[in-house]
Amino acid sequence: MARNSVYFPNLNGVRFIAALAVIIHHIELTKYWFGQPNIYTTSFVGGVFGQLGIILFFVLSGFLITYLLLEENKQKQHISIKQFYIRRMLRIWPLYYLIVVLGLFILPKIHFFDIPNITTHVKEHFATKSAMFLSFFPNVAYAMYEPVPYSEQAWSVGVEEQFYLLWPVLIALVIKRFRTMRMLLSTIGIYLFIKIAVVFAYSLHPENLAIDRLYQFWTHFSIDCMAIGGIGAYILFYEKEKILKLLFNKYLQIVPYIALVYITVRGIAVPIFNSEFYAVIFIVLILNLAANKKTLLRLNYKPLDYLGRISFGLYMFHNIILVMVLRLMLSINKNIYNSLEGNIVYYILSILFTIIIAGLSYRFFEKPFIKAKVKYSSVISGENAVDSNENTDVAAIDTKS
C-alpha cells in the first residue's frame, strides 16, 4: 500500500543552526573549563546562546512530531503508538547509547580526555547516574549531580524521549474528540502553573537542596515549548487560513528576525518565561520556513540540508571533538588561545572535525537504523521522505499577504 510522505523544506537548515548555536556555546565553555581566555562569562555566547539552540530543537521537535501524528491519524484513522516508539528507538537509541557509554565508562579512564575539576566528579554517585543515563533520565542526573563530560548534552535527549513517551498517547486520546488544541493549551498551562510555583519557591529558599534540584529539573523540562511547536503543527495541518495569512505577512516576518538578533546579542532574558518567549518566536519562523512560499529566509540548500541531516551527530559528538582539538592545539603552543588567530583556528577545526565525525557516524552507523524506520511508518518523513519515490509534497502553502 502506498504511503504518503511529509517533507518540509528549510527545516534541515534550522536543525543545523540549532546544533551550531550549541557548539559555539560549548566552544567557549570548553576554553573556560581549561582555564583558557574565553568569552563564556562575558557575552551572550556563554549566556543565552546555547539555550536558544536547545529551545529551537524542542519547538521543532514538537512541530514535526505533532504534524506527523496528525497526518498518520488522517491516513490510517488511528495512531500506532507501538510503531511510533519503535521509530523513535531506531533514530535515537543507537547514537545516544554510544555517547553515554563513552562518557560514563571509557573516556573518563583516558587521561587525554580529563577535564580539570570536572572529570573527577564522574565517579561520584556513579551507579545512580549510570542508571539515570541508561534509562533515559539524564535530565534528572543533570539536575542532581555534577556534569558527566561528553555525555552531559544528553540531558535534552532525555527530555525529548520523555516527550515522545507521552505525546502519541495524549494525541491519540484527544484527536477523535477534536480536542487536540485544548490538550496543547492545557499542557502549556499546567507546565507554566507548576513552573511559576517552583520558581517562586526557589526564590524564597535557594539554599534548599531539594527545591534547587526541582527547580533545575522543571525549568529544563520544556514540554511547553514542544507544545508550542505542536500548536504550529495544528494551525498548519488544519490550514487555519486567517492565522497563516497573518503569520506569513512579509512585514510580520521581519519582526521576529530582528527581535531574535537584538535580544540575543544584548543577552536579554524574560523573567520566568524566557524559554516560552523564544519558543513563540521560533514557531513563527518555523511555519514560514516550512510552509510559506514567500518566506524571506531560505535554508533549502544542499550543504545546509546535509548538515541538518547529520545534526544529531553534531550535537552528540561535538564535546568530544572540542576537547580533542583544544588539547592538541595546546600541545603545539600553550599560549595559542591568547591570540585572535588561535581562537579562529580553534573554531574552524572544532566545527570541521565535528562535521566529519558526525558525517561518518550518519553514513556508517545511523543510516541503517534510519532506513529501518520505514517498515514501521505509515507516513514517511525526513530523510526517508526525500529518498522516497512516493513523495507527496506538503511543503508549502501560498497564503497571499
Side-chain angles (χ1 to χ4, degrees):
M1 186 170 103
R3 287 171 290 184
N4 285 342
S5 57
V6 174
Y7 175 72
F8 294 107
N10 298 308
L11 295 193
N12 275 337
V14 172
R15 285 191 181 95
F16 172 65
I17 290 172
L20 183 62
V22 176
I23 292 171
I24 291 173
H25 175 83
H26 284 161
I27 284 175
E28 294 302 322
L29 175 61
T30 302
K31 290 193 290 182
Y32 171 78
W33 275 347
F34 279 85
Q36 300 301 310
N38 64 85
I39 56 172
Y40 181 74
T41 58
T42 59
S43 76
F44 69 92
V45 173
V48 72
F49 205 58
Q51 181 188 16
L52 292 188
I54 299 298
I55 296 169
L56 182 51
F57 270 129
F58 285 162
V59 177
L60 183 59
S61 180
F63 171 78
L64 291 171
I65 293 300
T66 303
Y67 193 98
L68 289 171
L69 289 171
L70 294 174
E71 181 66 27
E72 180 179 349
N73 182 73
K74 176 183 175 182
Q75 298 298 327
K76 303 285 287 184
Q77 285 72 55
H78 78 282
I79 293 171
S80 174
I81 296 173
K82 177 183 176 181
Q83 290 193 352
F84 177 88
Y85 289 159
I86 293 173
R87 291 195 301 271
R88 292 296 87 202
M89 289 166 60
L90 288 169
R91 183 64 189 102
I92 303 298
W93 287 26
L95 185 53
Y96 173 87
Y97 278 117
L98 173 63
I99 296 299
V100 165
V101 169
L102 286 172
L104 282 171
F105 303 106
I106 298 176
L107 298 182
K109 300 181 184 301
I110 302 174
H111 179 70
F112 180 82
F113 289 100
D114 280 356
I115 299 176
N117 303 314
I118 302 292
T119 301
T120 54
H121 293 293
V122 174
K123 295 179 181 179
E124 298 172 1
H125 310 283
F126 185 77
T128 304
K129 283 192 288 191
S130 298
M132 289 177 177
F133 273 90
L134 294 173
S135 61
F136 276 100
F137 286 96
N139 51 322
V140 179
Y142 181 87
M144 294 181 64
Y145 304 117
E146 294 292 328
V148 176
Y150 313 113
S151 295
E152 194 63 16
Q153 70 276 20
W155 75 263
S156 64
V157 182
V159 174
E160 293 262 11
E161 284 293 288
Q162 291 148 35
F163 166 73
Y164 296 149
L165 183 66
L166 295 171
W167 212 241
V169 177
L170 292 175
I171 295 288
L173 286 174
V174 300
I175 195 168
K176 299 298 183 184
R177 302 175 184 177
F178 304 101
R179 294 178 179 174
T180 305
M181 179 58 79
R182 185 181 300 180
M183 183 276 290
L184 293 167
L185 293 173
S186 297
T187 300
I188 296 170
I190 293 169
Y191 176 86
L192 289 179
F193 177 80
I194 298 173
K195 182 178 182 179
I196 292 169
V198 169
V199 171
F200 180 70
Y202 180 75
S203 68
L204 294 177
H205 304 285
E207 75 290 344
N208 185 293
L209 186 58
I211 292 176
D212 175 74
R213 287 173 173 175
L214 179 60
Y215 173 83
Q216 294 296 333
F217 169 77
W218 196 255
T219 54
H220 286 84
F221 184 66
S222 300
I223 194 171
D224 62 331
C225 293
M226 300 180 201
I228 290 171
I231 289 175
Y234 180 94
I235 291 170
L236 181 61
F237 184 83
Y238 291 108
E239 298 183 6
K240 302 297 183 179
E241 188 173 342
K242 290 183 179 180
I243 300 175
L244 290 172
K245 185 176 181 180
L246 174 64
L247 296 179
F248 289 177
N249 182 283
K250 64 180 179 181
Y251 298 108
L252 183 63
Q253 287 185 64
I254 296 172
V255 174
Y257 285 116
I258 294 176
L260 185 61
V261 172
Y262 179 78
I263 61 182
T264 301
V265 173
R266 294 295 300 271
I268 297 172
V270 179
I272 302 178
F273 305 113
N274 195 51
S275 297
E276 294 75 20
F277 176 73
Y278 280 111
V280 171
I281 293 177
F282 287 146
I283 193 55
V284 173
L285 299 181
I286 287 169
L287 281 169
N288 276 280
L289 287 165
N292 184 2
K293 289 182 178 180
K294 298 180 181 179
T295 179
L296 296 180
L297 179 65
R298 297 191 182 277
L299 303 173
N300 197 27
Y301 303 103
K302 284 187 176 180
L304 284 177
D305 185 72
Y306 172 74
L307 291 170
R309 290 192 187 200
I310 66 171
S311 60
F312 187 37
L314 295 175
Y315 183 72
M316 296 302 286
F317 281 109
H318 76 274
N319 281 324
I320 298 174
I321 305 303
L322 298 187
V323 172
M324 290 178 64
V325 174
L326 182 139
R327 278 196 171 277
L328 288 172
M329 289 180 63
L330 283 176
S331 69
I332 296 171
N333 182 352
K334 65 179 181 180
N335 297 314
I336 195 166
Y337 296 107
N338 291 324
S339 67
L340 175 63
E341 294 81 3
N343 282 282
I344 291 174
V345 171
Y346 180 48
Y347 266 81
I348 292 173
L349 291 180
S350 295
I351 294 171
L352 177 61
F353 282 110
T354 300
I355 290 171
I356 291 171
I357 297 301
L360 292 172
S361 170
Y362 179 83
R363 174 66 180 86
F364 296 106
F365 182 60
E366 300 167 59
K367 200 163 187 178
F369 296 103
I370 294 171
K371 287 185 175 295
K373 286 168 53 184
V374 175
K375 185 166 59 173
Y376 303 98
S377 302
S378 300
V379 181
I380 305 174
S381 64
E383 302 96 319
N384 291 323
V386 176
D387 297 333
S388 173
N389 293 323
E390 302 168 344
N391 186 31
T392 300
D393 189 1
V394 296
I397 295 175
D398 188 7
T399 302
K400 294 182 180 179
S401 56

